[in-house]
Amino acid sequence: MPPPSAGLHSCNSALSDRRLGTGAILRRDWHGQRIEVVIEPDGFRWDGTLWPSLSAIARAATDTRWNGPRFFGLRDGLP
């Protein structure tokens, strides 16, 4: 399922707090699958597609609703 192309957000509070910027790579292993996301100025690139949020990527990768920053370990608590 491709992400919506309108309304991309390049930053959220979790990323700002950690001072992660363009080019940073976020990684998470999920059920034997390595999920790597590159932060870009207009969104988050995963699997060759630009996504509007980390939550959208986490949901697409796991088929479960997730808080994206938490899924990638950017918030308190276990991802």
Side-chain angles (χ1 to χ4, degrees):
M1 170 171 59
S5 58
L8 295 176
H9 302 287
S10 63
C11 184
N12 63 41
S13 61
L15 294 177
S16 295
D17 291 346
R18 301 276 181 154
R19 300 187 193 276
L20 296 176
T22 301
I25 298 172
L26 304 173
R27 290 182 182 93
R28 170 77 193 263
D29 290 326
W30 178 261
H31 294 261
Q33 175 188 2
R34 166 79 35 119
I35 301 167
E36 286 191 355
V37 174
V38 178
I39 300 172
E40 295 192 0
D42 295 329
F44 305 92
R45 188 159 306 275
W46 171 62
D47 203 26
T49 301
L50 192 63
W51 295 79
S53 69
L54 292 174
S55 296
I57 293 170
R59 185 173 190 182
T62 66
D63 202 28
T64 303
R65 285 185 177 233
W66 275 93
N67 173 291
R70 184 170 184 199
F71 179 80
F72 285 100
L74 300 174
R75 292 230 172 126
D76 292 339
L78 294 174

